Amino acid sequence: MEGRDPVSDEVRKALSAQPLWTGEYFNEGTDDREWFDKLREECGVFGVWNHPEASSLCYYGLHALQHRGQESAGICTSHEREFQYHRGMGLVKEVFDQARLDQLPGSAAIAHVRYSTAGESKLANAQPLVFKYRDGDLGIATNGNIVNAPEIRKELEAGGSIFQTTSDTEVVAHLVARSKAPTLVEAVKESLAKLNGAFAFLFMTNDKLIAALDPHGLRPFVIGKLGDAWVFSSETCAFDAVGAEYLRDVRPGELLVFDEHGVTEDRFVEEGQQRAICSMEYIYFARPDSDIDSVNIHSARKRMGKRLAMESFVDADVVTGVPDSSISAAIGFAEQTGIPYELGLIKNRYTGRTFIQPSQELREQGVKMKLSAVRKVVEGKRVLMIDDSIVRGTTSRRIVNLLREAGAVEVHVRITSPPFQNPCFYGIDTPTRGELIASSKSVEEIRQLINADSLHFLSKDGLLDSIGRGDAAMSRGFCTACFDNKYPTLSEEKLQTLTGCGGC
Ligand code: SF4
């Protein structure tokens, strides 16, 4: 694990033992969506090459990636050059059991968990998608969003292609199928070079597995080893879950081909594009026990908390973090200031899927299913509350009010990201710019709206310093478009067509 942040095995284990992280807020009924006005990750991918229990490894890998998508799950295996696959709506544990896994033999597999942003939420869009092409079967699993998919789809339809799903992934399958390139690998390279956006792809044929990352490396994607087997994942936490060793991150624009001859490192675009990994992965999406570009997420969030303390100290009696993603930052803030860290907010982890939602009247009377303030901790106290972002502002206001109702005398809010002002086109489900509170309101106006005594957002410099800018050799770079409107792949013109304005 050379080069990873120094997190002890003990801490790593404790972190991985936590139930699902950020994603468990969602997909549990309308109450959640209303209560937790949060951003959503789109998908997680996992793959295995050359292991006799590939589907079981995928099951555990997907389980570790469940926070990246809870609407559907799927595994496709290749056994004696035949594909077997199963996909279903729901959580990994609901879609798969031992009997299902027994029906998925093979030493190669690709797997997927999904929360949809492009394409509706329905079984036909659940991945991996499986196609027949001229030389056999083709399975595809992807994380991200292809910005120019609608244009390519139109062109393909004009040329006679018929689509079965609304998913971007099918667009890529059609590009591959229609390519005149002499080999499948060349067809995949040619197809990927036409895409604009953020994508981590796993392709599987009857005798090959191909992993590829977009030219800017916007989405996280890592490679590991487990004995003689190769494993691929959106996050390293899935490697820890299956006992695999992290080797490295897939490089921007890289294409890795695994077959009976071993591994071939290739590219589908020339080198030289700046890495632009999504900075929100560090702030909110990724699990704290994962590493991206050798930076541990928990450690980066702790540094964000420390930096917030330096940028915007205010005296308080307790520091608390909104569970789960802001706990690491709250610990960092407390360490920096000496103000004690306390569990002032508790999430109810065991609500599961809740079909009976409290009526508006009951909600107004204080029926809360997801989050509670700990009265004995906050009563009579000045509370410093850390959260990762403010989207529409409704969640922040609710949480501040929870703390006040429990007796907090002051509530100061610190946010571990700069103001979230612009929508994401790279696979994160965000409201329109008009719905993002920071796009039209000043910090002071937001403070008043969320009913806080003070409010401060981490500066962009503070954020990037906390993650670690790295050195030139690592060529680490970040997408910060939702904070600064600088989209790594979009021209002004394209941005205007996507937003209806120039991002003004
Ligand atoms: Fe991540 Fe924001 Fe860039 Fe989207 S726009 S990829 S959420 S940093």
Side-chain angles (χ1 to χ4, degrees), residues 218-219 278-280 424 426 428 479-482:
L218 275 144
R219 302 260 66 92
C278 167
S279 54
M280 281 303 291
C424 176
Y426 299 130
I428 305 303
C479 176
T480 49
C482 43

Side-chain angles (χ1 to χ4, degrees), residues 310-324:
M310 290 186 254
E311 289 187 1
S312 61
F313 175 79
V314 63
D315 204 10
D317 301 310
V318 292
V319 179
T320 195
V322 178
D324 289 309

